[in-house]
Amino acid sequence: MKYAGEAPEGPAAEAAAGSDPGVPTAPAVPAARDEQRAHDEQRGTRARVVRSILDHGPSTAAELALRLELTQAAVRRHLDTLGAEGMVEPREKRVYGARTRGRPAKVFALTDCGRDAFDQAYDKLAADALRWIAQAAGGGEMGEAAVAAFARARMAAQAEGYREALEAAPPEERARVLARALTEDGYAATARTAPVGEQLCQHHCPVAHVAEQFPQLCEAETEVFSRLLGTHVQRLATIAHGDGVCTTFIPNKTTTASTSTAGRNPA
């Protein structure tokens, strides 16, 4: 039995092709080559999806479709594949401020596996070095204080590269100037307006895995942001704590800020 679309064989095939069985025909393009090309294109598109989530933070399928100029159906197929590969995971969209009616939108965030595809090759070396610093200082509270001192010194040196640009910018532009400087250092940062202030969002953290073990890195970074911006800031979320984005709230000058400039809001 022949099925629709199945090619005929033998003399019938030669007759259908209008060819003489004695005359050689041109070889067909191997189907495997077309399949490989399609496979490569699909992988390239999935890489764009992952990069878009890295640059912009956890995103809905609709947001990804708009940014990448794809249909939502196509984006969802790629997200399904990336989810099966352990590169992304669905989460409930985090809502700041008053919640609206209805179910929160589902967003897709990078997993540790997804982040490992980007600049995190020396995590173990860095963690081992910090652990050695802590042990050399005597361990316990003295060890933690030594790691904190290192973190502050590291961030102070990094901040010197940002200070001149921030001092030259008007106060209302400093969060955006800092975001651009952080992006150049691999943090994929953005700044956006928020109720009574702004939010500085870092969509990638090159030291996230190390910061999971040594929160002093996040605390030192928050302290430096406060000094650079000239106001108390509050860390709302960090990638090291499992959030999709490192989010820092920068209050308006007229807003009463928290007296703590470090740490993470547990809410």
Side-chain angles (χ1 to χ4, degrees):
M1 177 183 291
K2 293 291 183 184
Y3 294 92
E6 187 172 353
E9 299 176 355
E14 295 165 356
S19 60
D20 188 325
V23 179
T25 58
V29 177
R33 187 181 304 170
D34 291 337
E35 291 177 4
Q36 183 62 45
R37 184 182 298 113
H39 178 69
D40 291 344
E41 289 175 356
Q42 295 293 310
R43 287 186 60 186
T45 302
R46 286 196 288 276
R48 291 174 58 212
V49 171
V50 171
R51 184 74 211 191
S52 184
I53 296 174
L54 173 70
D55 289 342
H56 297 274
S59 306
T60 64
E63 290 167 341
L64 288 164
L66 183 63
R67 288 199 296 263
L68 300 175
E69 298 182 346
L70 299 170
T71 64
Q72 288 192 41
V75 168
R76 290 187 183 281
R77 285 196 298 272
H78 290 302
L79 289 170
D80 286 344
T81 301
L82 290 167
E85 293 174 349
M87 299 288 285
V88 304
E89 62 183 2
R91 296 182 180 177
E92 183 177 297
K93 187 172 184 177
R94 188 166 185 170
V95 178
Y96 295 97
R99 285 183 177 270
T100 57
R101 288 188 176 183
R103 208 170 175 183
K106 182 189 292 185
V107 296
F108 294 86
L110 294 186
T111 62
D112 284 345
C113 179
R115 292 186 184 282
D116 282 343
F118 301 92
D119 313 316
Q120 294 178 321
Y122 298 101
D123 285 349
K124 187 177 185 303
L125 176 63
D128 288 346
L130 290 177
R131 199 170 292 110
W132 184 90
I133 290 173
Q135 292 172 351
E141 292 183 1
M142 291 188 296
E144 291 180 5
V147 172
F150 167 82
R152 290 191 187 99
R154 173 184 174 274
M155 281 306 304
Q158 187 173 333
E160 285 305 308
Y162 307 156
R163 191 177 304 282
E164 185 176 348
L166 265 71
E167 289 178 348
E172 64 273 13
E173 289 295 323
R174 286 177 184 169
R176 287 168 177 76
V177 172
L178 178 57
R180 286 197 294 270
L182 289 166
T183 296
E184 290 176 2
D185 279 347
Y187 291 86
T190 58
R192 64 190 182 193
T193 302
V196 299
E198 294 179 283
Q199 283 184 355
L200 178 68
C201 300
Q202 295 157 263
H203 304 286
H204 179 50
C205 177
V207 297
H209 288 172
V210 183
E212 289 178 14
Q213 304 171 59
F214 299 96
Q216 295 96 324
L217 296 174
C218 296
E219 293 164 3
E221 182 181 73
T222 309
E223 292 170 3
V224 163
F225 289 171
S226 179
R227 289 198 296 272
L228 287 172
L229 297 169
T231 185
H232 290 296
V233 302
Q234 184 180 17
R235 186 58 61 90
L236 301 178
T238 63
I239 293 171
H241 282 85
D243 299 299
V245 180
C246 293
T247 307
T248 304
F249 174 65
I250 306 165
N252 291 333
K253 290 291 186 180
T254 55
T255 303
T256 302
S258 169
T259 56
S260 173
T261 61
R264 174 177 179 266
N265 185 355

